[in-house]
Amino acid sequence: MLSMAGIYMLAGLGATLSLKTRQINLAGEGLIYAGGFVTAVFLDLFAKVNMPAFFAVSLAFLIAALTGGLLMLLCEFLRKLRNADFLLTSFITSSAIIPLIDGLIAGPFRTKTGNLLATPYIIQAYRFKSLLKPSPLNAGIFAVLALCIIAHFFFAKTKAGKEVNIYGISPVFSRYSGFNCSAITFTSAALSGVFHTVAGALAVCGTYFTCHSSFYVSLGWNALSVAMLARTKPILLIPFGLFVSALMTYSGKLALYSNFDFD
């Protein structure tokens, strides 16, 4: 439950950054899947050349972050240049990413061992160490908590953060006040993509140790639920991330043990 809560908080922070600028990012599922896939593929490649763990994991996370940032920048560019609805373009982006990655996992990137539709497992050195075995809970939870707290102080105490808050209340007022509105929207969109794909990378390195087909299911939508419950306040992502994670984890356990339908 705590391990999944960290993923919900991180992806929820990405969703929050879009909501701050009055946009809804519906690409969460596809972005998390893309982040996990890119991380798994590159870590497998780095293992073959014996790259040290710190550099390999850092580089894989950076590549995952760039992937998400570029995809959301494209959506924001289309909104700015062609007046395309960000909600629609982000949803289409996710709808395009998911079957593409499914095909890649089923084809050239599928592991040669076992019957699982997945990439090869990442080596032990690239995995985040469990804090409470056999739970997958790892030190990533502390980094996520720190990010939520830092984001809270950024929006509450800094000039740039307050400008984003004001833009979310009234884009017209922000424009006439001389704010750099393009910088606000493009940065928020890019960081929204970054946090989603990094959440996927965290899931691969800390929980699943591979990118298997459909591991992303419900992660993106639940993270969006966390962000909406938090009402764009990053500090509230912590309790609501825990709440949604507990709800999903223990309802699943109850369904399993009581022979209920999972839905």
Side-chain angles (χ1 to χ4, degrees), residues 32-109:
I32 290 171
Y33 201 14
F37 175 74
V38 167
T39 301
V41 167
F42 275 93
L43 285 179
D44 183 55
L45 179 65
F46 296 154
K48 292 175 181 176
V49 296
N50 296 316
M51 185 180 290
F54 175 79
F55 295 107
V57 174
S58 299
L59 187 54
F61 268 66
L62 178 61
I63 295 169
L66 288 173
T67 301
L70 289 172
L71 286 169
M72 288 300 97
L73 279 176
L74 174 62
C75 293
E76 178 58 23
F77 180 77
L78 291 171
R79 188 187 75 84
K80 200 79 172 176
L81 186 69
R82 307 294 298 175
N83 200 31
D85 192 328
F86 187 87
L87 182 147
L88 180 61
T89 56
S90 61
F91 181 74
I92 291 172
T93 298
S94 180
S95 299
I97 292 170
I98 290 171
L100 174 63
I101 296 176
D102 281 342
L104 292 173
I105 290 177
F109 293 98

Side-chain angles (χ1 to χ4, degrees), residues 120-234:
Y121 278 88
I122 62 175
I123 62 173
Q124 200 72 36
Y126 294 167
R127 301 179 184 184
F128 293 167
K129 299 293 187 294
S130 171
L131 298 177
L132 295 169
K133 291 183 178 181
S135 160
L137 180 67
N138 56 75
I141 185 71
F142 299 116
V144 173
L145 291 172
L147 275 173
C148 291
I149 294 169
I150 290 168
H152 167 73
F153 282 104
F154 172 78
F155 289 114
K157 300 296 183 183
T158 68
K159 178 186 176 185
K162 290 177 179 178
E163 286 185 358
V164 175
N165 289 335
I166 293 169
Y167 180 90
I169 296 169
S170 176
V172 175
F173 179 84
S174 299
R175 188 166 63 252
Y176 282 108
S177 296
F179 296 172
N180 190 341
C181 297
S182 292
I184 291 172
T185 57
F186 275 96
T187 302
S188 295
L191 288 176
S192 178
V194 165
F195 287 127
H196 275 99
T197 47
V198 170
L202 178 62
V204 165
C205 286
T207 302
Y208 301 113
F209 310 126
T210 181
C211 179
H212 65 79
S213 181
S214 302
F215 87 86
Y216 64 89
V217 171
S218 83
L219 292 181
W221 294 115
N222 288 341
L224 180 58
S225 298
V226 170
M228 298 182 96
L229 286 167
R231 301 289 293 269
T232 74
K233 294 179 174 62

